[in-house]
Amino acid sequence: MAQDRKSSGRMASKGFPNPIDVHVGRKLQLRRTLLGLSQERLGNLIGLTFQQIQKYESGANRVSSSRLYDIARVLDIGITYFFEGISAEVQEQSPGHLQGAVPLVSEDERDPMARRETLELVRAYYQIRSAKVRKHLVDLTRSLGKTK
């Protein structure tokens, strides 16, 4: 008697990788290219072959969390970089979502203090040397926040 199994999110049985794995691979390739690193050089830095880097970049192989950590350190980026810009359509292909276990959370429902945009704004704010200019910026931001 065959037992029905829910999809693990890996789409190998359908002949293609999970779109999230492809997205992560493209982000990896983009950052590696921007830094001028070859696949071979990146592989050497993290103890892999260039063929394994190719497989990660194509999404053919999933990147484990420990490898992603190593790659992010070598590429001088945060882990979240790899997931930025994922479309809602791709998000729906996560294993948890495919199994009905993980509901999508809209951007508006997320904690604004955890958003990348907020962190970038705070970093830019503290790069302003003048306390007077920072105060004016806070006042301006408050007044813009009140208008609707």
Side-chain angles (χ1 to χ4, degrees):
M1 177 167 109
Q3 187 178 12
D4 288 338
R5 287 180 24 162
K6 290 188 175 186
S7 169
S8 68
R10 189 74 182 153
M11 302 180 151
S13 63
K14 296 179 183 176
F16 54 93
N18 185 287
I20 294 175
D21 298 328
V22 172
H23 179 86
V24 168
R26 286 183 183 146
K27 296 289 282 191
L28 165 57
Q29 182 180 31
L30 175 65
R31 181 65 180 177
R32 178 187 58 75
T33 304
L34 286 173
L35 293 177
L37 289 174
S38 67
Q39 290 174 331
E40 184 174 17
R41 178 74 178 132
L42 176 58
N44 288 338
L45 289 170
I46 60 173
L48 295 174
T49 64
F50 77 90
Q51 292 95 334
Q52 186 60 46
I53 301 299
Q54 284 177 333
K55 290 176 183 181
Y56 286 160
E57 289 183 356
S58 70
N61 283 7
R62 286 185 169 170
V63 184
S64 70
S65 56
S66 55
R67 277 292 179 215
L68 197 61
Y69 177 79
D70 287 344
I71 291 168
R73 289 191 62 185
V74 168
L75 298 180
D76 194 29
I77 50 174
I79 297 290
T80 57
Y81 163 82
F82 295 103
F83 302 98
E84 292 171 356
I86 286 185
S87 68
E89 181 180 333
V90 171
Q91 290 178 36
E92 291 173 359
Q93 299 302 310
S94 77
H97 186 76
L98 290 172
Q99 293 175 349
V102 180
L104 289 180
V105 179
S106 73
E107 186 68 30
D108 294 336
E109 294 175 39
R110 294 185 185 144
D111 177 13
M113 296 308 291
R115 290 186 192 163
R116 181 175 189 84
E117 176 184 32
T118 304
L119 296 174
E120 289 173 356
L121 183 62
V122 170
R123 283 186 190 117
Y125 172 83
Y126 281 108
Q127 288 177 349
I128 300 170
R129 294 182 187 263
S130 168
K132 184 177 180 180
V133 171
R134 284 195 309 269
K135 183 177 179 341
H136 286 303
L137 183 58
V138 168
D139 293 341
L140 173 65
T141 305
R142 282 190 181 126
S143 67
L144 290 171
K146 292 177 184 176
T147 61
K148 285 196 179 197

